[in-house]
């Protein structure tokens, strides 16, 4: 599940893009101005950034250039803009964009371009997530800790991947519920039950706990001695 940051100030476009990406199985964060987008992009880990060109604060060119200058070379960027001249497109590529999509666009085309850019960047190739001695192979969905293979449920795998991708950051309950059930969250605290089951598998047999509850916020996966 790729994690995508969408930086777009038009609320209607932003909502439509976020809803469609969620429908296609992507995990998303968003920002509505250049400064907020730059902060998220530099403080979190994303597989790809969808970046509007005309933004309040810093524009898309500036955000892209700052990201490249600060060493985020491995994060692919797709620019969105109504400016369709050759000079505009060339400027976008010159500051480090990987692709350029002209507004108005079909959401299906955006997803097709995202998938193509991720393929070129190796974003959908097999790789390994690691936190301390815990490993998740995204090719085989095999989980192991300290060399011991662990059996994790399908829901637990979704939660674990999200936690490992964002480690050591706190993942809010709402983000986990969206990843598991989209907008069809079941009645009751099903998430707590899944967290309990996951903790029994990845923590209980081992001395050092990794899965921490952060009161009134969510959960985090870290080798730190305690939660925030």
């Amino acid at each position: 599940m790729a994690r995508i940051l969408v930086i777009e100030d038009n609320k209607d476009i932003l909502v439509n893009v976020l809803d469609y990406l969620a429908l296609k199985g992507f995990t998303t964060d968003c920002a509505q101005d250049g400064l907020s987008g730059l902060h998220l992009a530099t403080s979190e880990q994303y597989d790809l950034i969808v970046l509007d060109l005309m933004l309040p604060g810093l524009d898309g060119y500036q955000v892209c250039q700052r990201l490249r200058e600060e060493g985020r070379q491995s994060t692919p960027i797709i620019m969105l803009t109504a400016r369709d001249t050759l000079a505009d497109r060339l400027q976008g590529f010159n500051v480090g964009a990987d692709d350029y999509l002209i507004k108005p666009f079909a959401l299906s085309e955006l997803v097709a371009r995202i998938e193509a850019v991720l393929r070129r960047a190796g974003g959908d190739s097999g790789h390994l997530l690691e936190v301390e001695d815990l490993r998740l192979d995204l090719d085989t969905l095999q989980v192991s800790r300290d060399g011991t293979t662990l059996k994790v449920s399908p829901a637990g795998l979704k939660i674990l991947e999200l936690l490992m991708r964002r480690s050591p950051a706190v993942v809010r309950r709402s983000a986990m519920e969206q990843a598991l059930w989209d907008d069809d969250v079941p009645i009751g605290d099903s998430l707590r039950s899944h967290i309990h089951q996951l903790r029994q598998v990845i923590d209980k047999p081992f001395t050092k706990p990794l899965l921490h509850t952060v009161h009134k916020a969510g959960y985090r996966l870290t080798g730190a001695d305690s939660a925030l």
Side-chain angles (χ1 to χ4, degrees):
M1 180 191 300
R3 187 183 181 203
I4 297 177
L5 173 62
V6 182
I7 309 174
E8 167 64 65
D9 66 327
N10 184 301
K11 291 183 180 179
D12 291 335
I13 293 176
L14 180 61
V15 169
N16 287 337
V17 168
L18 293 177
D19 286 348
Y20 195 77
L21 291 180
L23 184 66
K24 293 299 181 179
F26 295 102
T27 300
T28 58
D29 285 338
C30 67
Q32 292 184 266
D33 64 83
L35 286 172
S36 298
L38 181 63
H39 173 72
L40 280 174
T42 54
S43 60
E44 301 283 348
Q45 293 293 326
Y46 296 99
D47 298 295
L48 183 140
I49 299 170
V50 176
L51 176 63
D52 185 35
L53 181 56
M54 302 302 292
L55 293 167
L58 299 175
D59 66 26
Y61 292 137
Q62 293 171 308
V63 172
C64 187
Q65 187 168 17
R66 290 272 293 273
L67 288 174
R68 295 312 187 212
E69 289 174 350
E70 292 174 18
R72 298 273 170 166
Q73 299 290 345
S74 62
T75 307
I77 295 174
I78 297 177
M79 277 192 173
L80 305 178
T81 180
R83 296 167 62 174
D84 60 355
T85 68
L86 176 59
D88 291 327
R89 295 197 298 275
L90 289 176
Q91 185 177 354
F93 290 126
N94 285 339
V95 296
D98 296 88
D99 202 353
Y100 200 98
L101 187 57
I102 305 299
K103 296 179 180 179
F105 55 85
L107 292 170
S108 57
E109 182 180 2
L110 174 60
V111 168
R113 286 175 181 263
I114 287 172
E115 291 173 343
V117 171
L118 287 174
R119 281 196 299 272
R120 292 199 300 269
D124 65 349
S125 62
H127 54 289
L128 191 68
L129 298 178
E130 296 183 78
V131 176
E132 296 283 322
D133 57 350
L134 179 66
R135 293 176 172 83
L136 169 58
D137 187 323
L138 294 175
D139 265 350
T140 63
L141 298 182
Q142 184 179 71
V143 180
S144 64
R145 184 168 180 189
D146 194 26
T148 301
T149 299
L150 307 176
K151 186 175 181 180
V152 180
S153 69
L157 284 170
K158 287 185 178 181
I159 294 171
L160 185 60
E161 179 180 351
L162 187 56
L163 286 166
M164 293 185 80
R165 284 187 182 277
R166 300 195 188 182
S167 174
V170 175
V171 181
R172 295 195 174 275
R173 290 178 54 90
S174 58
M176 290 187 175
E177 289 172 343
Q178 184 180 25
L180 286 172
W181 301 293
D182 291 326
D183 295 325
D184 190 23
V185 180
I187 297 174
D189 199 351
S190 296
L191 177 61
R192 180 177 293 180
S193 175
H194 287 302
I195 290 290
H196 174 75
Q197 293 173 18
L198 182 60
R199 186 175 272 132
Q200 293 294 107
V201 174
I202 68 170
D203 273 351
K204 188 174 180 180
F206 303 94
T207 303
K208 185 177 184 179
L210 296 178
L211 179 51
H212 302 279
T213 301
V214 182
H215 184 55
K216 294 185 178 180
Y219 301 92
R220 66 196 294 245
L221 195 72
T222 177
D225 291 336
S226 62
L228 292 172

